[in-house]
């Protein structure tokens, strides 16, 4: 077994070159007569070559920097993007509620209809839509009643189910007929 003077890697006896650093064993034997290990020019060249390959270049430093920045962006971007995606419908629903509270029922109804079925806000939006529909329907019936169009108003008042918020009010109007 031969041991390389440069990298100290063991190689089989039959090899003429080190398996790791490719230093020639034959040249080493000849040079050993003329140079000690520190002064051997070929050994120094090989050592410098090995060290140069170990040192990062400017290109690899820049690449490492951008890979690190990309990693940070991905690490932060995925949760932030997910949060924004999952909460966009919350903002839409809140806008519909705000419009409702401001008395803009038609607009609240239209905004709530934009919330997709796969959203976590869908059920709330459907409740708001149902309430808006009943509110608008009740107000239409009251307007018809007040204008003397009793038949159409009665049809609308009778369409409210017992679960409806406007059921009792509609029944009260019909009793006072």
């Amino acid at each position: 077994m031969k041991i390389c003077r440069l990298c100290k890697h063991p190689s089989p006896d039959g090899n003429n070159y080190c398996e790791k650093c490719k230093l020639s064993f034959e040249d080493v034997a000849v040079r050993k007569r003329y140079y000690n290990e520190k002064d051997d020019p070929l050994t120094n060249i090989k050592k410098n070559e090995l060290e140069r390959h170990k040192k990062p270049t400017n290109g690899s430093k820049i690449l490492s920097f951008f890979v690190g920045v990309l990693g940070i962006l991905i690490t932060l971007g995925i949760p932030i993007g997910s949060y924004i995606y999952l909460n966009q419908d919350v903002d839409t629903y809140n806008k519909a509620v705000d419009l409702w509270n401001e008395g803009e029922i038609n607009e609240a109804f239209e905004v709530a209809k934009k919330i997709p079925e796969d959203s976590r806000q869908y059920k709330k939006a459907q409740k708001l839509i149902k309430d808006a529909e009943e509110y608008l329907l009740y107000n239409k019936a009251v307007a018809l009643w007040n204008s003397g169009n009793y038949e159409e108003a009665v049809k609308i008042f009778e369409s409210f189910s017992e679960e409806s918020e406007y059921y009792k009010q509609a029944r009260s109007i019909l009793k006072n007929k």
Side-chain angles (χ1 to χ4, degrees), residues 13-141:
D13 285 332
N15 285 6
N16 292 330
Y17 293 92
C18 172
E19 292 174 342
K20 188 173 180 184
C21 70
K22 306 297 184 217
L23 183 69
S24 169
F25 290 126
E26 291 173 0
D27 292 343
V28 171
V30 173
R31 286 193 318 273
K32 220 175 192 183
R33 289 186 220 146
Y34 302 108
Y35 304 104
N36 67 23
E37 192 170 336
K38 287 183 181 176
D39 298 330
D40 185 352
L42 187 58
T43 305
N44 287 335
I45 290 169
K46 287 285 189 177
K47 279 185 182 177
N48 291 340
E49 212 173 287
L50 286 173
E51 286 179 22
R52 189 177 53 202
H53 289 295
K54 289 180 186 176
K55 289 182 183 176
T57 62
N58 283 341
S60 66
K61 288 179 185 176
I62 292 170
L63 182 63
S64 296
F65 171 76
F66 282 115
V67 168
V69 168
L70 182 62
I72 290 170
L73 289 175
I74 289 171
T75 303
L76 294 176
I78 290 173
I80 292 171
S82 298
Y83 175 80
I84 291 169
Y85 175 75
L86 292 173
N87 287 309
Q88 67 186 1
D89 295 332
V90 171
D91 294 338
T92 304
Y93 176 74
N94 288 341
K95 180 178 179 182
V97 169
D98 289 343
L99 288 167
W100 180 279
N101 292 335
E102 293 170 5
E104 304 292 331
I105 308 305
N106 286 325
E107 289 81 2
F109 175 77
E110 292 302 321
V111 170
K113 284 185 357 184
K114 293 178 183 177
I115 296 175
E117 286 184 39
D118 62 343
S119 170
R120 296 183 329 198
Q121 302 300 315
Y122 183 74
K123 286 184 181 178
K124 290 182 188 178
Q126 291 304 304
K127 169 105 171 69
L128 190 138
I129 289 168
K130 184 178 179 240
D131 290 347
E133 286 173 337
E134 288 184 349
Y135 175 85
L136 294 170
L137 193 59
Y138 177 78
N139 283 336
K140 179 180 177 183

